[in-house]
C-alpha cells in the first residue's frame, strides 16, 4: 500500500498476455469450491482443475475461490477451462491493476482492491481481488489468505440471509459488499489515528507527528487511487445491460455503489482534515519559535544595557569622579534598576509579557 | 458533526439489510400521527403500529412522525406494514448515510441531514432525517427529539399557508424546507463567528484563534459533505417523473433546490474566507516575530560594541596610557555615545525605527 | 458586499412564500412608469398600483421601476395585479438570492446583483435587481435609489439608440447591460487598487498592505459569487425558446453574455494576481527578517569574541605575566583587531556583507 | 499585457453599439488592399473606403488590412459598406475583448490577441486582431503597425505555398497561423527567462529574482487569458457548418487548433514551473536564514559562558582565594578552553559544524 | 525532457507544411523493412525509397521503421510515395508535437512520446514516435536509435505470440504497447528515487534534496504533458470506426488504454507525494531552526544575567560593602548558581529541555 509503485515493469518486452512471474513469488494456488442451492450445500477441494467448468450450469450456484494467483500453471488450466481471454488472465496474475469492470458477453469480469490493516505493523495492506461472474458460477481470486470472505462462507453454510435463495449475481454482490464494508473498518482505524494526532498536535508538536501526518497523507493518496476507479466500475455495473445480472440484485448493487461513494467522501474529508493538520503543525511550530524568541529578546534587552552600565564602572580610569562618591554604588544600582523597569514596562506595553 | 467517522463498521460481516444496533443505543421509538384534510384535523399517538398502513388512502393527508430510529422492533413492524425493502430500513436505522433520493415506484425515499447548533456547547450537531412519501402519507424519521418540525406542526393545526389544501407531496416539501431553512440559521451563526475571528486576528493573534479557525474549517468540511449530496438528490427529485409529485409542488421543490445551492455557495465562500484567515494569521505571527527580532537586534547592536569599549578600559594592563589622561573617562564616554548614535542613524536609514 | 451572510434566516419557520420583513426595514416603495412607443413618451407616477396591469398591451412598451422592495403591502398589490407566483414575490423581497432566470410562460423573471463602489467609504456595495419581462411591460425592482438606470432613462427620453424602436425585450436588455457595464467600472477601480498595492509592496511592506490584500480577496470572493450565477442565467436566457424574446434582441443578449464572461475572466485574473501578491508579501517580510538577522549576527559575532579577550585581561589574578609587559596592551588590541578582521573576511566570503 | 484592466468602462452609460473613443487615441486608419488570383496580383491603397465592398466577388481573393481601429469615421464607413452589425463594429473598436468566433451567415467574425515581445523593454505586448471572412474577401484589423503579417504579404507576392491557389478561407487561416506561430516565439523567450531564473536561484537568491518570478507569473496569467478562449473559438470554427469554409482548409484549421492547444499546454507547464521556483526561492531564503542563525548561535554559545568565567575573576571581592594562586590564571584559561571544546563537540554531534 | 520548450518557433513565418530543419540536425535516415506473413519473413534495407509503396497490399504485413526524421529529402520521398498530407509530414519532422491521433481515411496517423532514462546521466529523455497504419503496412518514425522496439523485432523473427498471425493493426498495437510498457520502467526508476529522497529527508535535509525534489517535480510536469494527451488519442482510437482496425485488436487497444490510465494515475500519485515531500522538507528545516534558536536562547538567558552579576562586582566603586565581606564571594557565586538553576527550571517547565 505504501509502495509508490508495484513492480509490474518486468514484463516489458514480453508479448502482451504473457503470464510471467519471478520464480520466488509463485506459490501453489489453493482452490476451494462451494456449490449450493436453496436446499443443498456441497463443499469440496477439487483435485482436477480442468473439470471445474462442469459447474457452469444455472441449476446451482457455485463459488470457486482461488487463493494465490501467481501459480501460472493453475491459471493456465483455469483459463483454458473457462475459455478466458489471455488479457483477463494477465490482469488477474499481474495484480497491480486499476479496478475495472469488463463485460465479455458470457461472463463479467470485475477486479478491485481489498484493503486491510496489518494488525502487527498497523500498516495498510492492499491486495487485488478479481471476480468472474458466469451464469451460475462465481470465481474469486485472492492474492493471499485472509478472513474477509469467511463471514460470507459462514452465511452460506448457515443459510442466513437471502444468499441461498438468489443467484450467482447476488453471491458476487455479497463478496463485493464484504470488501467494501471492510473499507469502512480501515477508514475507522485511520480516522481514529487522525483524531489522536489532532489532540497531540495542540499539546506538544514534535517531528514524529509530522512524519505521521505525512505517512497518513500518503496512505490516503493510495486509498483514493484504489477506491476511486471502483466507483466508476460499479457505476458501469449498475448501467450494464447484461443477462447475468437480475432485477432484484440491481437494488443491492446500487446500495454498494452508494457505500463506495461514501468511502470516497470520507477519504476526501480525511485528506482535507490532514492538510489542515499540517497547517496547524506549521503554525504551532512557528508560534513556539516566536515564544522562544520573545524570551531571548526580553532577557537580552533587559540585561545587555545594565551590563553595559556595570562595564562603565568597571573601567580603570584614574579620574572617574563617580567612583569616589559614597552614594555612587547605590546610585549605579538604582540606574540599572530603572533601566530594567523601563524595559519591562515597554514589553508590557507591547503585550509581550 | 465533528467526528470524522460515524461508527458504521460494526455491521461489517452481517448480511446486507440486517438491522443491528448496539443494545445501549436502542430506545423506544415515539410515533405520532397527524391526519388532515382541508377541513378536518386528527392527531393521535397510535398504539398498534401494524395498523398504520390503513392511512394509505388519497382521501386525507397523513403525517407519521417517528422519533428514535434505533428501536429495531418498531422498525421491523413499520417495514412490514408499509412493505419497505430491507435496504431502505437499513438506511433509516444506520444513520451515517449520504443524502440521497430513491424512487421505489409506490413510494419515494429521501434522506438528508438536519443540522443544528447545540445551544449549550456551541457545537454543530447533525442527525439524519428520512422522509417516505406514499400516496397520501408522509413518514418522517428523526434520530432525536427536536423542534425544527414544531413550526410545521403548528402551521398544520392553524391551517396557515397552503399546507391543508395541497397533498402529501407538499407536506414533504415543507418538512424539507424547514430543514433547509435551518441550515441558514447554522450558517448565520458560523459566519458571525468568522467575522469575530477576523476582528480579533488583526488585533492580537493567539493560538486559540488558530485552533478556532481549524475547528471551523473542519465544521465546514462536514457541512459541505452533508449538503452537497442533497443538492444532487433534489435535482433528481425535480427531474423525477413520479405520479407522487404533482405540478404545483414542483415549483416549490425548485425553490428549495435553489436554497440548497445558496447554502452550498455560502459554505464555499466561508471556506475561502477561512483559508484567507489562516494566511492572515500566519502573516501576522510572522510580522510579530519580525518586530521582536528587530527590538533584539537594535538593543544588541547598540550595546554590544559599547560594552566592548568599556571592557577595553576594564583591562588591568599596567601600561595603558589612556587611563592616566584626565579626560580619558569623558573621552571614552563620548566614543561610546558616538557609536550608539551611529548605530541609531543606521537603523533609521534602514527604516527599522 | 463584505458581509459573509445576508440575514435571511429570520424567515425560518414561516410558511414558504410568506413576505416577512422586520418593521424598521420596510419603507414605502417608489413606483415610476415610463410608457413609450417610437413616437410618443409618457412618464407618470401611478397613484393606484392595482391599475398597473392595464399596461399589459403590446401596443406600447412600459417600464415600471420600483425602488424599495421591502414595502410588503405594495408588493402584495403588484403581485395580485400581475398574477405573480408567491415564490417570485418572496424572491424579490428577500434580496439575498442567487442570480437566476425563471420562465413562467407569460413572463420571464431574471434577478441579479447590481454592484457599485460607495464613493464615501470606497466599499463595494451590492443590491439585488429583479426584472420581470411581460409582453410589452418590463418591471424592475431595486433595493435603493441609485443612478445606474438614469442613463437608460435619458436615452429613452431623447430617443437615442434603438430603444424606442424595439420592444420590451430590448428594454430589458439595456437595463441588464447597464448593470453589467457597471461591473467593469467596479473592476477598474479594484484593479487600480491592486496595482497600487503591488507598487507599495516592493517598496516597504507593512501589515496595512496585508489587511488590504485580505479585504480585496474577500471582495473578489463575493464578486465572483455575484457574477458567476449570472453567467449561467444569461446562458439559459440565450437558449430560451420564449416568444417574449425576439430575434434581433438575441444578438444583444449574446453580447451581454460575452461581457459577463469577460467580467468573470477579469475577476479570476485579479484573484490570481492577489494570491501572487500575498506570496510576495510573505517573501518580502521573510527577506527583511533575514536582513535583520544578518546585521545582528555580524555585530554579535565580531564583538562577542573580542569582548571576551577584554574580559580575560580584566581578571584580577595576581600572576598574569602579560599584564606586566610594556607591549601587552597594544598586543591585546592587535589580537582583537585581527579577530574582527577575520570575522569580516569570513562574512565577505559568505557573501553576507 | 501587464495591465490588469483595459479601460473599457468609459463606455458605460452609452447605448450599446456606440463607438466612443477618447479624442487623443483616434488616429487615421491605414487601409491597404491586396487582390489576387492564382495568376494575377494587385496591391492598392484605396482612397474611397465606400467602394471596398466592390471586392465582394468570389472571382478573386481580396485581403483588406486595416491598421488603427480607433478611427471612428473610417470604421463607420467600413461598417456601412460591408453591412456590419453595430455590435461587430463595437467589438473591433473596443479592443479589450475576449477572443471569440461569431457566425453572421454572410460573414464569419473571429478576433483574438496578437502577442509580441517589445524588443526595447522586453515587456510582452498584446493587441487585438479581428478577422472578417466574406466570400472572397478577408478584412483584418490591427491596432498598431507590426511585422507579423509581413511574411504573409511576401508569400502572396512571391506566390509561395498554396496561398495563391486556395480561397479566402485559406488566407484567413494563414493570417491566424502567423499569429499563433508568434505565440511560440514569445513562449520561447519566456522559457529562456525561466531557465535563467532557475540557474540564478540555486546560486544566490535575491529579491530581484522574486519580483522577476512574480512578474513572469503575472505575464502567464495574461497569456492564458488571451489564448484560452482562442482554443474555444477555433474548436467552434472547426465544427462550424459554414459555406465560407471549404474542405481542404479544415485540415489546416485543425492543425492551428492543435498548435493552440500546444501553446496552452506550454503556458500551463511554465506556470507550474514558476510556482515551483517560488517554492524553491522561499526554501533557499529559509535555508540561508538557518545558516545565519547557526553561525550566531555557535559563536554566542561558545563565548558567552567563557566570558562569564572571565567576568567572575574580574570581580573585586577582597577574599577570592583563586586569585592568589600562582596557577589560578592558567587554570582559569584551561577551564575556558574546556568549555569551548565541549561546546564545539556538542555542535559537531548535532551536525551543525 | 527537462527543457521547457522545444525549439519549434524557427518555422514561424514559413508557409505551413514546410519542412525546415537547421542544417546541423539533418542526418541521413535509416530505413529498415520487415515483411512477414504467418509462414514467411523477409528483412531488407531498401535502397530505393520510392518503391516502398509497393508493400501496400493486404497479403502480408510490412513494418517500415525509419530512424532519423530530420532527413528532409527522404521524408519528401516517403511523403510522395505514400501520398501523405504536408501537415502529416510537418508533424513527423517537427517533433515537439502533442500526442494525437488523426484519421486520414486510407491511413491512421498516431504519434506520441517515447520516454527513457539515460543510463549515463540519469536524466529522462523523450523522443517522438510516429506511427502510420495503412492496410497491411505500419510505418514507424523514431528520432534516434534505441532499443525499445528490439524486443518486438525478436518476437516477429521468432514468431512468438500472436504477432505473425494477426494483421498490421496488431503490429501497431504491439509497438504502442512496447512504448507504454517502457513508461512503467521510467516510473519505477522515478519512484525509487522518490523513496530514497523520502528516507534522506527525515534524516538530514540539505539543499541538495531540495533541488532534487524540484527537478523531479519538473520531470513529472513533463511526463504528464507527454502522457495525458496520449490517453485522449487512445480513447479516440478505441472509439474509431475505421476498417483499418479489426475486432480482435480492439480488446488489446483497450488494454493499452488501461495501462495509459494507470501511468497517469501513478504520475499524479508521485506528484502528490513530491508535494508532500516539499512540505516535509520545509517543516524539517523549520524544526531545525527552532532547535538552533532554543540552544541559543537557553545558553544566552542563563549566562547573560549571571554575567551581569559578575559585572556588578567588577565595578570599581570605593564604597561597595559587599566586597569587604569575607563571604561576599561565595555568596555572589551562590546567587549566580541560583539564577542559573531558576532559569533551567523555567525551561524545563516550558518543556524546552
Amino acid at each position: 500500500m505504501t509502495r509508490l509503485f508495484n513492480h509490474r515493469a518486468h514484463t516489458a518486452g514480453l508479448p502482451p498476455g504473457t503470464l510471467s512471474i519471478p520464480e520466488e513469488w509463485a506459490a501453489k494456488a489453493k482452490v476451494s469450491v462451494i456449490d449450493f442451492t436453496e436446499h443443498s450445500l456441497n463443499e469440496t477441494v477439487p483435485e482436477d482443475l480442468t473439470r471445474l467448468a462442469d459447474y457452469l450450469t444455472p441449476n446451482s450456484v457455485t463459488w470457486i475461490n482461488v487463493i494465490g494467483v501467481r501459480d501460472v500453471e493453475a491459471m493456465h488450466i483455469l483459463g483454458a477451462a473457462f475459455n478466458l481471454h489471455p488479457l483477463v488472465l494477465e490482469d488477474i496474475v499481474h495484480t497491480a491493476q486499476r479496478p475495472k469492470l469488463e463485460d465479455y458477453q458470457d461472463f463479467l469480469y470485475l477486479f478491485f482492491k481489498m484493503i486491510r490493516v496489518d494488525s502487527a505493523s498497523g500498516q495498510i495492506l492492499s491486495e487485488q481481488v478479481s471476480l468472474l461472474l458466469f451464469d451460475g458460477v462465481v470465481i474469486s481470486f485472492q492474492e493471499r489468505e485472509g478472513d474477509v470472505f469467511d463471514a460470507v462462507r459462514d452465511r452460506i453454510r448457515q443459510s442466513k440471509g437471502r444468499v441461498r435463495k438468489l443467484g450467482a449475481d447476488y453471491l458476487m454482490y455479497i463478496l463485493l459488499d464484504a470488501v467494501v464494508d471492510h473499507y469502512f473498518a480501515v477508514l475507522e482505524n485511520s480516522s481514529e489515528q487522525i483524531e489522536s494526532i489532532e489532540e497531540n498536535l495542540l499539546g506538544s508538536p514534535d517531528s514524529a507527528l509530522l512524519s505521521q501526518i505525512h505517512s497518513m497523507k500518503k496512505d490516503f493518496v493510495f486509498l483514493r487511487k484504489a477506491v476511486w476507479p471502483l466507483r466508476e466500475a460499479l457505476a458501469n455495473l449498475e448501467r450494464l445491460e447484461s443477462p447475468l445480472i437480475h432485477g432484484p440484485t440491481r437494488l443491492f448493487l446500487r446500495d454498494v455503489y452508494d457505500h463506495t461513494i461514501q468511502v470516497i467522501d470520507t477519504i476526501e474529508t480525511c485528506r482535507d482534515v490532514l492538510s489542515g493538520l499540517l497547517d496547524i503543525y506549521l503554525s504551532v511550530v512557528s508560534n513556539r519559535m516566536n515564544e522562544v524568541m520573545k524570551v531571548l529578546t526580553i532577557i537580552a534587552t533587559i540585561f545587555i544595557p545594565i551590563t553595559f552600565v556595570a562595564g562603565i564602572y568597571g573601567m580603570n580610569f584614574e579620574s572617574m569622579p563617580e567612583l569616589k562618591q559614597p552614594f555612587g554604588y547605590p546610585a549605579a544600582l538604582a540606574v540599572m534598576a530603572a533601566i530594567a523597569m523601563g524595559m519591562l514596562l515597554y514589553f508590557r506595553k507591547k503585550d509581550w509579557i
Side-chain angles (χ1 to χ4, degrees), chain A residues 161-309:
Chain A
R162 284 164 216 82
V163 62
R164 293 280 284 274
K165 289 173 211 132
L166 295 168
D169 53 343
Y170 187 80
L171 176 61
M172 181 187 75
Y173 154 70
I174 58 172
L175 292 173
L176 187 53
D177 189 61
V179 170
V180 172
D181 264 359
H182 220 78
Y183 291 165
F184 285 100
V186 171
L187 284 178
E188 187 172 2
N189 182 290
S190 294
S191 57
E192 271 163 19
Q193 276 185 57
I194 292 178
E195 277 162 26
S196 113
I197 291 176
E198 201 173 346
E199 273 166 38
N200 288 332
L201 203 53
L202 294 171
S204 59
D206 54 27
S207 48
L209 282 180
L210 181 65
S211 64
Q212 215 180 333
I213 291 174
H214 174 64
S215 124
M216 291 207 70
K217 277 185 85 170
K218 229 171 87 185
D219 278 1
F220 278 105
V221 167
F222 283 91
L223 275 174
R224 191 167 179 264
K225 198 178 153 191
V227 182
W228 193 264
L230 178 58
R231 190 200 62 83
E232 207 180 303
L234 290 178
N236 289 340
L237 185 56
E238 220 190 306
R239 272 197 298 274
L240 200 68
E241 307 263 339
S242 167
L244 293 167
I245 307 282
H246 303 104
T249 306
R250 285 193 190 276
L251 272 182
F252 290 98
L253 288 176
R254 209 208 292 178
D255 193 61
V256 79
Y257 173 75
D258 287 340
H259 287 178
T260 309
I261 287 191
Q262 222 173 320
V263 168
I264 290 173
D265 266 20
T266 307
I267 289 173
E268 296 303 325
T269 303
C270 287
R271 277 163 57 102
D272 271 11
V273 171
L274 276 173
S275 291
L277 288 185
L278 196 65
D279 285 348
I280 294 287
Y281 176 81
L282 289 175
S283 304
V284 169
V285 164
S286 153
N287 255 339
R288 298 191 100 198
M289 177 99 114
N290 212 354
E291 208 187 334
V292 169
M293 289 304 304
K294 263 197 224 161
V295 168
L296 174 60
T297 302
I298 291 168
I299 295 289
T301 49
I302 289 175
F303 283 99
I304 287 180
I306 60 182
T307 302
F308 165 69
V309 173

Side-chain angles (χ1 to χ4, degrees), chain A residues 43-247:
Chain A
E43 289 190 56
T44 53
V45 174
E47 305 218 335
D48 182 0
L49 296 182
T50 59
R51 303 290 303 273
L52 282 174
D54 297 350
Y55 287 110
L56 279 175
T57 64
N59 301 333
S60 66
V61 175
T62 313
W63 173 20
I64 303 171
N65 189 35
V66 182
I67 296 173
V69 294
R70 311 223 194 271
D71 178 350
V72 175
E73 196 191 351
M75 290 300 122
H76 273 301
I77 296 173
L78 278 169
F82 288 94
N83 197 17
L84 301 179
H85 194 280
L87 287 173
V88 172
L89 269 191
E90 194 194 351
D91 282 346
I92 295 173
V93 173
H94 298 290
T95 54
Q97 303 296 318
R98 207 173 174 260
K100 71 176 167 184
L101 169 80
E102 301 209 345
D103 179 10
Y104 283 83
Q105 306 305 331
D106 51 338
F107 67 96
L108 290 184
Y109 171 29
L110 177 70
F111 57 93
F112 46 90
K113 302 291 176 191
M114 179 189 287
I115 310 267
R116 66 167 192 273
V117 181
D118 184 57
S119 48
S121 69
Q123 269 198 317
I124 294 178
L125 301 176
S126 136
E127 75 177 285
Q128 176 173 314
V129 172
S130 309
L131 295 183
L132 295 174
L133 170 65
F134 293 86
D135 190 15
V137 172
V138 171
I139 315 183
S140 59
F141 297 87
Q142 286 176 268
E143 291 184 58
R144 279 180 294 273
E145 301 214 34
D147 49 5
V148 170
F149 287 161
D150 284 355
V152 177
R153 221 165 270 127
D154 288 349
R155 216 182 306 157
I156 295 173
R157 284 180 197 132
Q158 297 160 29
S159 188
K160 272 208 303 204
R162 284 164 216 82
V163 62
R164 293 280 284 274
K165 289 173 211 132
L166 295 168
D169 53 343
Y170 187 80
L171 176 61
M172 181 187 75
Y173 154 70
I174 58 172
L175 292 173
L176 187 53
D177 189 61
V179 170
V180 172
D181 264 359
H182 220 78
Y183 291 165
F184 285 100
V186 171
L187 284 178
E188 187 172 2
N189 182 290
S190 294
S191 57
E192 271 163 19
Q193 276 185 57
I194 292 178
E195 277 162 26
S196 113
I197 291 176
E198 201 173 346
E199 273 166 38
N200 288 332
L201 203 53
L202 294 171
S204 59
D206 54 27
S207 48
L209 282 180
L210 181 65
S211 64
Q212 215 180 333
I213 291 174
H214 174 64
S215 124
M216 291 207 70
K217 277 185 85 170
K218 229 171 87 185
D219 278 1
F220 278 105
V221 167
F222 283 91
L223 275 174
R224 191 167 179 264
K225 198 178 153 191
V227 182
W228 193 264
L230 178 58
R231 190 200 62 83
E232 207 180 303
L234 290 178
N236 289 340
L237 185 56
E238 220 190 306
R239 272 197 298 274
L240 200 68
E241 307 263 339
S242 167
L244 293 167
I245 307 282
H246 303 104

